[in-house]
Amino acid sequence: MGIDLLEFQTTLSSAVSLKGIGVHSGKPVTVTFHPAEADTGVIFQRVDDGAQGRLIPALASEVGETDLSTSLGNPAGDYVATVEHLMAAVAAMGVDNVLVEIDSPEVPIMDGSASAFVEAFTQAGMRQLSAKRRYIRILKPVRIDNGSSWAEFRPHNGTRFEVEIDFDSPAIGRQAFAADLTAETFSKDIARARTFGFIKDVERLWAAGYALGSSLENSVVIGEDNKVINMEGLRYSNEFVRHKMLDAIGDLALAGARFIGCFRSYRGGHRLNAAALRHLLTDRAAFQIVETTRREGGRSAEMIAVNAPVFAPWVL
């Protein structure tokens, strides 16, 4: 399998905190990850002054804006923006249950990648719980098109991502990257890929109140001459498409359970990822909820279908 099919749910062994700034707000943020009981899932809670303290589950049903990042919650009340890098680390590192306390409406950007979250979860450690872990097994192809962009889920014996991008800029061009999702693969090949943007877009974004915390310390920036202006250059030769895969992993983690299948996209982004996930979850013939069970005396795992309750998070 492309992902370890653990039989039981997990949580963190201890609490751990990170401090940074919001890439759009430019304001300081502290986020603390607390262990949580089985079947809690990933829950955000704002703890800053003026926040209502509402629990915001990291689920597709809570997705709001997807223009420049993925946001959860109600923009008129408690919401949390730019959750995708954190959620990618949650999914890849196998954290099933965690309470995320945050004192800002935006997850800290850190260095523009997911590596700080991977390090935090590794530092906190993992603890196995007694409740069974459930998976979403893709049964048939589900595809969504938007102009020249498209995304699809297909059956696959594992959890796989195949992402392709195509930019007019010669600094990026057409790039493709494919990987089976494991904690090791994510940490080595995906987690360190940074968000990116174009210097020509900066003034427009600033005027709209975005990217106020963006800098060369947390973004790969492409200059007017279509060259990367970061002194250290790229971390991977195809860092751009690897970051797009990181985003996709985080956006699809909002399914509420890991999926067993292959996700493919061409010229995708947060909006297309969210639309593809909703398209999948509203077609009950396209997936099955399964658990794993170990054969007695052996290490191999078998998947068995289970009846999901009507209030299950994957029922939109």
Side-chain angles (χ1 to χ4, degrees):
M1 302 296 291
I3 190 171
D4 294 332
L5 293 183
L6 300 181
E7 189 172 358
F8 297 98
Q9 296 178 28
T10 65
T11 190
L12 300 179
S13 294
S14 61
V16 62
S17 297
L18 289 173
K19 293 185 178 181
I21 63 168
V23 70
H24 294 303
S25 69
K27 296 179 179 179
V29 187
T30 298
V31 59
T32 302
F33 305 96
H34 295 277
E37 296 180 357
D39 295 322
T40 298
V42 181
I43 301 289
F44 288 86
Q45 186 173 36
R46 292 265 301 277
V47 294
D48 47 306
D49 291 341
Q52 300 169 9
R54 175 173 100 81
L55 297 177
I56 307 172
L59 296 174
S61 57
E62 291 284 340
V63 171
E65 294 185 4
T66 54
D67 289 337
L68 297 173
S69 67
T70 297
S71 298
L72 300 173
N74 182 359
D78 282 2
Y79 71 96
V80 180
T82 322
V83 302
E84 58 272 12
H85 302 169
L86 162 59
M87 290 305 302
V90 165
M93 302 306 290
V95 183
D96 293 305
N97 304 286
V98 60
L99 171 63
V100 185
E101 287 188 342
I102 185 168
D103 65 356
S104 169
E106 187 177 12
V107 173
I109 190 64
M110 307 310 291
D111 70 346
S113 76
S115 60
F117 302 112
V118 170
E119 292 170 4
F121 297 152
T122 301
Q123 175 186 336
M126 299 285 289
R127 178 165 57 90
Q128 181 176 286
L129 302 172
S130 59
K132 287 274 193 163
R133 173 187 280 182
R134 288 181 171 177
Y135 297 85
I136 299 173
R137 185 181 188 182
I138 309 301
L139 299 178
K140 69 173 186 177
V142 173
R143 179 180 171 114
I144 186 169
D145 292 87
N146 183 15
S148 61
S149 302
W150 56 264
E152 67 179 7
F153 291 90
R154 301 186 68 86
H156 179 73
N157 190 31
T159 299
R160 184 172 177 82
F161 288 80
E162 298 178 359
V163 175
E164 186 172 1
I165 61 175
D166 192 358
F167 282 77
D168 291 334
S169 170
I172 305 176
R174 191 163 185 169
Q175 300 181 2
F177 190 66
D180 289 320
L181 184 63
T182 66
E184 294 73 21
T185 296
F186 184 79
S187 298
K188 177 184 176 184
D189 298 330
I190 303 168
R192 295 181 65 248
R194 295 162 294 175
T195 190
F196 59 92
F198 297 86
I199 196 72
K200 62 182 175 63
D201 295 329
V202 169
E203 289 189 3
R204 175 180 58 83
L205 291 171
W206 284 347
Y210 295 106
L212 301 179
S214 181
S215 71
L216 294 177
E217 296 181 354
N218 56 41
S219 305
V220 176
V221 180
I222 300 167
E224 296 287 359
D225 59 356
N226 278 306
K227 294 182 179 179
V228 173
I229 68 176
N230 301 66
M231 290 293 292
E232 72 277 18
L234 297 176
R235 293 177 175 175
Y236 311 94
S237 61
N238 58 350
E239 185 169 359
F240 303 104
V241 71
R242 293 184 193 226
H243 185 78
K244 284 292 189 178
M245 181 179 289
L246 189 161
D247 282 344
I249 293 169
D251 289 339
L252 299 187
L254 300 175
R258 287 161 180 75
F259 73 87
I260 300 172
C262 178
F263 175 78
R264 304 174 65 228
S265 69
Y266 174 69
R267 299 185 66 177
H270 299 300
R271 181 172 296 179
L272 187 66
N273 294 338
L277 181 57
R278 291 190 65 87
H279 191 47
L280 169 71
L281 298 182
T282 51
D283 185 354
R284 286 309 306 266
F287 67 94
Q288 182 182 47
I289 308 304
V290 299
E291 294 177 351
T292 63
T293 184
R294 301 286 173 180
R295 294 177 183 235
E296 186 174 351
R299 298 181 60 187
S300 61
E302 291 183 333
M303 291 182 291
I304 57 173
V306 297
N307 292 321
V310 295
F311 56 85
W314 42 80
V315 179
L316 298 178

